Amino acid sequence: MNQMLWRYFALFLLLGCALKAAAQQALTWEEVRNRFEVNNPTLLADKLNIDESKAQEITAFLRPNPTFSLTADGTQIAPEKGVWRPFAGTFESPGVSYLQERQHKRQLRLQSAKKGTLIAESSHTDLLRTMLFNLRSAFVSTLQAKSVLQLAKDNLAYYDHVLQISRDRFNAGDIAQIDLDRLELQRVQYESDLQAAEENLQTAKIQLLTLLNSRTPLDQFDVTGLFDFNDQLMPRDEFRKIALDTRPDLKAAVEAVDKAQTDHKLAVANGSIDPTWSVWYTHNSSNNNPFGISTLGVSVGIPLRIFDRNQGEKLRTQLDITRNERLRDAAEAAVLSDVDSGYATLESDLILLRPYKAKYLQQSVRVRDTIFFSYRNGGASLLDFLNAEAEYRSVQLNYVNLVGAYLTAAAQLNMAVGREVIQ
């Protein structure tokens, strides 16, 4: 019986550990992006603009409603020559009228509404583009904070190893008390680095969770990804070409010109004449036919567009075409400027990163280890060792920050292009 209880207890512990591991599973960039697109409230709210624009398409294509009228006349209201027959001459006349729209007004309204939907879709895609840059920046900041935290832990562990050797040397009478005190005081810097790195990691996670609209506890949330740089970079003209074909804000500007042209055609059509057709039935009508008890009438009303021919809207929409063409040109110039700026930043980061990876990182390790070996054996001063250790920390931290700057610049270039070209 006791063995069975122990087995159940062990199974319960294994299950709890498995659930905890699943809850703390690190998310990749693709998983973070998918959660963002599903859960971010700002993105979801903006997406409703597309549905609203589609609803406006229904309104734009509606036909005019017919008008029903009912007329009653000929009722006697006072006696005449002693005769009082109030309803003998009353006639009733129900009728229906309908406005006929000409010059394809409904079709043009529908085209304009559909092009408005295309603009809404491009605008939503553009919002997604800019917000994905914020998401990617937060993701990179989290990876960078994790790398800095790991570096701080490694530096503290290495320095504790140095302190232990220094204490052994002090006990053996190899170094003075003042040197040991200086070494132990220097540990405060490593503790401060570790605490700052932990705080920065929590801040980066909070920013990322906010964008994901997630309430996951910080200790149960983590991300994973390659924190490194790619030495290869496509030519600038390739990025420019992709941007001109992809950028959603440029597409929205082009679609706005197309919509303005359709709106001008609609303004011209609205200046045309739309007749109103009417038909009515009359019972007990008063006419020259004594047998015309039930009669049918038809009429057409044609507005005389002498003064109002929609001149203002025709001119306004014509000017709106020119205005949107200018905005399209400005959007294209902004796209090329964004690509050039992002490319220059990324290229500059690569120029700095290449020598770090090829030479400076290994040199900093070699210098630190050599000086420490010499110091441990009495061949170097304490000041030499502390300077070597500070240089090592500076080089390693600079490299991590440069990689973070490169990944952020890559995200900025992706945003400038309009899609993820650099992974």
Side-chain angles (χ1 to χ4, degrees), residues 108-340:
L108 288 171
R109 285 200 303 267
L110 179 61
Q111 289 180 24
S112 178
K114 285 185 175 181
K115 290 171 182 178
T117 301
L118 291 177
I119 294 174
E121 290 174 349
S122 297
S123 299
H124 176 72
T125 305
D126 189 57
L127 176 65
L128 175 62
R129 174 182 70 92
T130 55
M131 294 194 70
L132 278 178
F133 169 72
N134 297 333
L135 182 70
R136 185 72 175 183
S137 298
F139 183 82
V140 169
S141 296
T142 305
L143 294 180
Q144 181 177 350
K146 289 178 63 176
S147 297
V148 172
L149 177 60
Q150 186 59 49
L151 180 63
K153 290 180 178 179
D154 294 342
N155 286 339
L156 183 59
Y158 182 87
Y159 199 77
D160 285 340
H161 174 66
V162 171
L163 283 178
Q164 184 58 47
I165 293 176
S166 299
R167 292 188 184 101
D168 293 340
R169 290 183 63 192
F170 171 74
N171 293 330
D174 195 22
I175 61 174
Q177 178 70 52
I178 187 63
D179 289 338
L180 181 61
D181 291 341
R182 292 180 64 185
L183 285 169
E184 290 181 341
L185 285 175
Q186 190 67 23
R187 191 180 189 276
V188 175
Q189 181 62 49
Y190 294 92
E191 292 175 347
S192 299
D193 291 345
L194 180 60
Q195 184 60 37
E198 290 177 346
E199 181 182 352
N200 291 336
L201 178 57
Q202 289 183 348
T203 302
K205 285 185 176 182
I206 290 172
Q207 182 181 4
L208 194 55
L209 285 170
T210 301
L211 290 170
L212 295 177
N213 194 28
S214 175
R215 304 297 184 269
T216 304
L218 291 179
D219 57 348
Q220 296 180 11
F221 176 74
D222 195 11
V223 296
T224 183
L226 181 64
F227 189 74
D228 201 353
F229 68 95
N230 186 0
D231 197 20
Q232 303 300 322
L233 191 61
M234 292 191 308
R236 187 193 307 262
D237 290 340
E238 290 293 326
F239 288 101
R240 282 179 153 222
K241 183 177 182 302
I242 296 173
L244 292 176
D245 294 336
T246 309
R247 276 281 288 263
D249 53 341
L250 182 57
K251 285 185 177 181
V254 173
E255 290 159 354
V257 174
D258 194 18
K259 183 178 184 302
Q261 293 171 346
T262 301
D263 290 342
H264 178 64
K265 294 178 182 178
L266 179 59
V268 173
N270 286 334
S272 63
I273 296 173
D274 293 335
T276 301
W277 299 92
S278 302
V279 58
W280 62 89
Y281 164 79
T282 304
H283 175 70
N284 194 23
S285 64
S286 175
N287 53 50
N288 295 328
N289 184 2
F291 302 101
I293 303 302
S294 297
T295 60
L296 185 67
V298 178
S299 71
V300 58
I302 300 177
L304 301 179
R305 307 209 71 160
I306 299 174
F307 306 108
D308 179 8
R309 296 188 301 275
N310 208 33
Q311 304 95 316
E313 278 300 296
K314 291 177 184 177
L315 178 59
R316 186 194 67 80
T317 52
Q318 183 64 56
L319 294 172
D320 196 46
I321 294 174
T322 305
R323 182 181 67 86
N324 280 283
E325 288 174 345
R326 300 294 180 268
L327 292 175
R328 178 199 58 197
D329 296 340
E332 182 175 337
V335 167
L336 297 178
S337 175
D338 291 345
V339 172
D340 292 345

Side-chain angles (χ1 to χ4, degrees), residues 42-43 55 60 71 129 182 195 254 363 376 407:
T42 302
L43 203 61
T71 303
R129 174 182 70 92
R182 292 180 64 185
Q195 184 60 37
V254 173
Q363 281 184 344
R376 184 177 61 184
L407 293 176

Side-chain angles (χ1 to χ4, degrees), residues 6-21:
W6 277 110
R7 288 178 181 176
Y8 283 125
F9 181 70
L11 182 62
F12 178 77
L13 288 179
L14 290 175
L15 181 61
C17 293
L19 291 175
K20 184 177 181 180

Side-chain angles (χ1 to χ4, degrees), residues 51-69:
D51 297 330
E52 292 178 1
S53 185
K54 289 180 178 179
Q56 291 176 354
E57 294 179 17
I58 300 174
T59 303
F61 202 57
L62 292 177
R63 297 177 182 272
N65 289 319
T67 302
F68 174 78
S69 62

